[in-house]
Amino acid sequence: MSSCRKRCKRELLKFAQYLFRFITGTLNADSVEDELELSAARHRPEALEQLEAQTRFSRKELQILYRGFKNECPSGVVNEDTFKEIYSQFFPQGDASTYAHFLFDAFDTDHNGSVSFEDFVMGLSILLRGTVQEKLNWAFNLYDINKDGYVTKEEMLDIIKSIYDMMGKCTYPTLKEETPRQHVEIFFQKMDKNRDGVVTIDEFIDCCQNDENIMKSMQLFENVI
């Protein structure tokens, strides 16, 4: 394994370990509840009880997540530029800005240009502890860039290219320029069963559920947390 690939693996492991400590509460949680209740931030999160009912996180886990969120985003919300800056730290070998843009849009469910703590934990709850159906719905929303209820071949290409750009020099073997489009052609042919040029959410979910590699990849965080 090349040194670059080893470095990428170390970065991803550090990220996974941080998430593990984040969720299990082994990061410092002193006085988080007081901070949550008394914070004078411009954006006040919903009551812990409401978020606990809406997500699959416990009260303590929400307290820990809130402390980490406030450390990165003292105002209580994160804009797209800050989100890109934080995300790029995990992929220094490539350009994560485009993928971070798409990911930000997926977290920004009300499309107001910012991600609140509520937006963050609702999305994280699905990605880490949601059902297969919930995770696939979330993934479809990510690929459906213009939010019209369909995924086109160009939308899929935009996402796939952004992922390759994010991985940068650590893709192995080195990709040719046409590789992302070739991969999209294969994926799209599998998903677009009625050959109408778009992929519906039902086609997307059915194809993913019958793809062993996709289903294994969805278990990544379940195995870490």
Side-chain angles (χ1 to χ4, degrees):
M1 183 182 293
S2 69
S3 59
C4 187
R5 293 174 70 194
K6 287 180 181 177
R7 189 165 58 252
C8 282
K9 185 175 182 180
R10 284 198 302 270
E11 289 300 320
L12 289 172
L13 284 173
K14 282 164 59 181
F15 181 40
Q17 290 164 357
Y18 180 75
L19 275 176
F20 177 80
R21 294 174 60 215
F22 217 28
I23 302 300
T24 57
T26 52
L27 290 178
N28 181 20
D30 293 344
S31 73
V32 176
E33 185 169 358
D34 290 340
E35 181 181 343
L36 185 57
E37 299 298 335
L38 302 174
S39 172
R42 290 191 293 275
H43 177 86
R44 288 181 63 92
E46 296 175 11
L48 280 178
E49 292 80 3
Q50 186 173 346
L51 286 175
E52 190 175 358
Q54 292 174 335
T55 69
R56 290 179 171 86
F57 295 126
S58 69
R59 184 181 182 86
K60 181 179 180 181
E61 289 169 336
L62 288 168
Q63 291 168 357
I64 299 299
L65 286 168
Y66 183 69
R67 166 59 64 84
F69 191 87
K70 282 296 296 295
N71 283 343
E72 294 290 347
C73 316
S75 67
V77 296
V78 57
N79 61 30
E80 185 171 337
D81 288 340
T82 303
F83 188 87
K84 287 179 178 179
E85 182 181 342
I86 295 170
Y87 204 77
S88 67
Q89 295 173 20
F90 297 113
F91 299 94
Q93 74 285 347
D95 180 1
S97 60
T98 303
Y99 184 72
H101 164 74
F102 294 137
L103 200 60
F104 180 87
D105 281 350
F107 273 101
D108 181 18
T109 53
D110 53 7
H111 309 298
N112 66 354
S114 63
V115 171
S116 66
F117 179 67
E118 294 89 339
D119 294 331
F120 174 67
V121 294
M122 293 292 284
L124 202 61
S125 176
I126 292 172
L127 291 174
L128 297 181
R129 297 180 180 172
T131 64
V132 169
Q133 184 84 14
E134 288 171 334
K135 290 178 181 179
L136 290 176
N137 275 318
W138 199 93
F140 181 85
N141 180 61
L142 174 67
Y143 277 88
D144 180 16
I145 296 173
N146 66 359
K147 312 306 178 194
D148 65 350
Y150 301 96
V151 174
T152 66
K153 191 178 294 184
E154 289 306 311
E155 285 177 319
M156 190 175 289
L157 179 62
D158 287 343
I159 297 290
I160 296 298
K161 284 176 65 177
S162 72
I163 292 172
Y164 284 132
D165 288 343
M166 178 176 65
M167 297 307 297
K169 297 176 182 179
C170 287
T171 54
Y172 181 83
T174 303
L175 296 174
K176 297 179 180 178
E177 186 175 347
E178 66 271 16
T179 300
R181 185 171 292 277
Q182 290 173 348
H183 288 178
V184 167
E185 289 290 342
I186 295 171
F187 296 150
F188 205 85
Q189 288 299 316
K190 288 176 63 177
M191 290 185 175
D192 184 18
K193 294 183 177 180
N194 63 359
R195 302 294 183 263
D196 64 352
V198 295
V199 172
T200 66
I201 190 165
D202 289 336
E203 289 174 324
F204 182 85
I205 290 175
D206 183 64
C207 181
C208 291
Q209 285 181 327
N210 288 287
D211 189 303
E212 184 178 355
N213 291 327
I214 290 176
M215 296 308 293
K216 283 182 178 179
S217 70
M218 290 179 63
Q219 296 172 2
L220 170 64
F221 285 119
E222 291 178 0
N223 294 333
V224 172
I225 302 303

